[in-house]
Amino acid sequence: MAEPELVDVVVLGLGVGGEEVAGRLAEAGLTVVGVERNLVGGECPYWGCIPSKMMIRAANAIAEARRVDGLAGTVQVRPDWAPVAKRIRDEATDHWDDRVAVQRFTGKGGRFVRGSGRLDGPGRVRVGDQVFQARHGIVLGTGTRPSVPPIDGLVDTPYWTNREAIEVEELPESLLVLGGGAIGLELAQVFARFGVRVTVVEATDRVLAVEEPEASEVAAAALRADGVEIHTGVKAARVEHGAGRFTLRGTGGEEFTADQLLVVTGRRAHLDELGLDTVGVDASRRYLPVDDRLHVTDDIWAVGDVTGEGAFTHIAMYQASIVVADVLDHMRRADGGADASGTASVVGGAVGAASSLAATGSSGAAGSVPRADYRALPRVTFTDPEIGAVGLTEQQARERGINVQVGFTQLSSSTRGWIHKTDHGGFIKLVADADQGVLIGATSVGPAGGEVLSGLVVAVHGAVPLAQLRHMIYAYPTFHRAVAEALRDLGS
Ligand SMILES: Cc1cc2nc3c(=O)[nH]c(=O)nc-3n(C[C@H](O)[C@H](O)[C@H](O)COP(=O)(O)OP(=O)(O)OC[C@H]3O[C@@H](n4cnc5c(N)ncnc54)[C@H](O)[C@@H]3O)c2cc1C
């Protein structure tokens, strides 16, 4: 067996979360080994957020051009996928090449190891023949992979996941989308706007089932207006593929056919591959349970999708900041405890960095590490109109026994909504804790729903008293001014 090499920290998986942790710890002067088996940067830049939002930007340009009719004359629109595919290839993913990302990490002083890693006993990570012994800890940022349901016949077919959908060069004539969550709806609308006949099949009784029911209605109406067929409450029983066609059969006898099938039914972590048993951690869970400083054990941290706290890049980045501060704090304490001014030096500037990062904490005593707080978790579904949401939905709040107050307003009844001609609705919905007098959730749907959300995130995060929100000045005529109307509807 190879002699273990002693380093400060090993980061397993250099997706959004892992790369951020590894890079910042390396910059702080630690010896950091970053292990990645695929592309540094992970899902977001190569098959997720960035290319999908490029596709959405292009599809929205088509939709906006079509809106000239009736507003400003006439235009003829001839969609062409070629520039979209080229932009994803050349600008977003560099032809799915991570050389720049690897250099970004090594340029910060990190050591990059390409390969599949696994835990190999306390403090140890094995990558092929190489074994690293981490003096100060291991960070797991191994993300998730598509969760493909056990539907009869499916695995033997050439179905797409998000990866093939993002890499597509030539669009199919027709597409079945299995899964009516955020990713399914975003991609369905994009492809429909480029002329693909799209059918969405969803098992629950509404699309975007985790958001407010009013948001589901707006999303479904908008997609239908783009020509998308939506079937909810359909449990897929069997998939067949032959003569270049997919057939999806439901348990209730439903039958759908198309040239291609996209499966977007959620994602899951693959804990069984990580050697967790060698450190006494249960690998049978869906996600890695972590505490509010992202500890799995005393000297193992996890970051990003693998924690199950929300599959968003902004969650991975948020958690990464906490992990960086906590690893440095951990080191400081393990090495005899420098005071908050960082007088003792552990490795290069690491202790000083620990002090200054820890000082950015939003809770606890000065110099303490911030704790993760997901109360004001924002999420945006980038359909047109955009669906932004933060905190609890009305139903979630009621299930928690909170004394709920709800405020609602249609965007079309605001000046800006009326001027804009918000075709498919749009609204602001506020969920308040009547006893505390603060917002605990909000949904903002409209042409800039994700941007309007920011003020509502501040309100939920900062627990801004409703009285103060009511006495704010909202610029006229903005979309966000509808928040004032929703507050009026909330009552006093
Ligand atoms: C189509 C799509 C659109 C999305 N859009 C958005 C959006 O608009 N906004 C948003 O916030 N989020 C979006 N997301 C989610 C976002 O991409 C993820 O939340 C984010 O990538 C999570 O980062 P991560 O670091 O946890 O994991 P990942 O990005 O999955 O990275 C994990 C890395 O670990 C590596 N790895 C795994 N196991 C090992 C091992 N044993 N050894 C070595 N390496 C390993 C993997 O190869 C991978 O590179 C989208 C996702 C998809 C699929």
Side-chain angles (χ1 to χ4, degrees):
M1 185 174 130
E3 192 64 24
E5 192 179 329
L6 197 60
V7 297
D8 287 329
V9 174
V10 179
V11 180
L12 197 53
L14 296 182
V16 180
E19 190 195 344
E20 178 73 6
V21 171
R24 286 175 62 184
L25 288 178
E27 277 178 325
L30 278 70
T31 52
V32 180
V33 169
V35 185
E36 172 56 53
R37 67 173 164 208
N38 198 352
L39 296 177
V40 173
E43 205 71 10
C44 179
Y46 298 103
W47 297 283
C49 334
I50 295 176
S52 68
K53 266 77 249 176
M54 270 186 184
M55 290 160 71
I56 288 166
R57 167 79 179 115
N60 287 358
I62 291 172
E64 198 59 10
R66 287 176 178 148
R67 290 178 185 129
V68 166
D69 283 8
L71 275 178
T74 54
V75 289
Q76 253 200 336
V77 185
R78 276 200 310 277
D80 179 5
W81 187 252
V84 186
K86 180 172 175 357
R87 193 168 178 220
I88 290 172
R89 248 181 4 243
D90 297 352
E91 294 177 34
T93 67
D94 210 2
H95 295 241
W96 289 274
D97 184 315
D98 67 350
R99 243 168 308 181
V100 172
V102 171
Q103 279 163 13
R104 190 168 59 215
F105 173 54
T106 54
K108 291 173 182 169
R111 171 157 159 218
F112 178 59
V113 175
R114 179 94 62 195
S116 209
R118 62 193 322 270
L119 297 167
D120 192 30
R124 269 199 313 277
V125 170
R126 170 181 287 276
V127 189
D129 290 340
Q130 289 173 286
V131 182
F132 300 97
Q133 180 74 43
R135 218 182 268 128
H136 296 295
I138 295 168
V139 181
L140 302 173
T142 47
T144 53
R145 291 209 294 264
S147 162
V148 177
I151 300 168
D152 216 14
L154 177 61
V155 287
D156 303 322
T157 69
Y159 67 89
W160 284 356
T161 65
N162 63 297
R163 293 207 167 183
E164 291 78 17
I166 295 286
E167 291 180 15
V168 66
E169 295 273 340
E170 297 225 353
L171 298 184
E173 276 184 24
S174 55
L175 176 71
L176 282 173
V177 178
L178 186 61
I183 294 174
L185 294 193
E186 288 180 1
L187 295 175
Q189 191 175 44
V190 164
F191 290 131
R193 287 180 166 183
F194 276 87
V196 178
R197 271 180 290 110
V198 181
T199 305
V200 173
V201 178
E202 162 60 40
T204 64
D205 63 358
R206 61 185 173 96
V207 294
L208 276 191
V210 295
E211 299 300 352
E212 295 283 7
E214 297 90 338
S216 304
E217 278 173 34
V218 172
L223 263 74
R224 285 191 171 116
D226 278 313
V228 177
E229 260 189 52
I230 298 181
H231 299 269
T232 54
V234 177
K235 312 267 187 290
R238 184 165 177 73
V239 171
E240 289 151 22
H241 181 255
R245 301 278 288 171
F246 282 84
T247 303
L248 175 77
R249 299 184 198 283
T251 53
E254 307 90 338
E255 184 180 316
F256 309 96
T257 59
D259 295 337
Q260 190 49 256
L261 170 67
L262 168 61
V263 178
V264 273
T265 44
R267 304 187 60 90
R268 66 173 300 135
H270 289 263
L271 303 185
D272 48 331
E273 300 172 1
L274 300 180
L276 288 164
D277 52 316
T278 67
V279 291
V281 174
D282 179 10
S284 66
R285 314 272 293 249
R286 193 177 161 95
Y287 296 107
L288 264 183
V290 286
D291 68 9
D292 57 7
R293 290 185 189 183
L294 288 316
H295 281 263
V296 180
T297 66
D298 229 22
D299 52 8
I300 300 178
W301 289 258
V303 67
D305 283 9
V306 73
T307 66
E309 298 289 357
F312 300 104
T313 286
H314 44 272
I315 284 286
M317 299 292 280
Y318 171 75
Q319 292 176 330
S321 291
I322 296 171
V323 171
V324 169
D326 200 48
V327 169
L328 294 175
D329 183 59
H330 204 71
M331 279 176 54
R332 180 172 58 83
R333 285 185 282 106
D335 281 282
D339 63 21
S341 62
T343 46
S345 175
V346 179
V347 185
V351 169
S355 304
S356 62
L357 282 164
T360 62
S362 58
S363 56
S368 69
V369 175
R371 289 168 189 271
D373 170 6
Y374 305 105
R375 276 178 315 116
L377 166 59
R379 45 208 190 264
V380 179
T381 302
F382 291 89
T383 44
D384 172 18
E386 284 178 5
I387 295 169
V390 59
L392 300 178
T393 61
E394 179 184 352
Q395 189 188 336
Q396 287 167 340
R398 291 196 191 285
E399 282 167 2
R400 290 182 190 199
I402 294 168
N403 180 12
V404 171
Q405 259 184 318
V406 171
F408 187 91
T409 187
Q410 294 285 359
L411 216 54
S412 55
S413 61
S414 73
T415 307
R416 182 60 182 279
W418 175 77
I419 292 169
H420 194 86
K421 281 186 180 287
T422 43
D423 312 356
H424 303 297
F427 62 86
I428 304 286
K429 179 171 178 177
L430 306 178
V431 180
D433 179 328
D435 297 337
Q436 302 297 320
V438 295
L439 292 183
I440 49 173
T443 298
S444 150
V445 178
E451 307 303 325
V452 169
L453 188 70
S454 68
L456 296 166
V457 177
V458 173
V460 174
H461 180 76
V464 181
L466 288 171
Q468 235 172 312
L469 293 176
R470 288 195 180 95
H471 293 291
M472 259 176 65
I473 303 169
Y474 298 83
Y476 180 87
T478 55
F479 289 117
H480 78 250
R481 199 174 151 80
V483 172
E485 192 51 42
L487 282 163
R488 251 193 298 279
D489 186 59
L490 200 60
S492 49

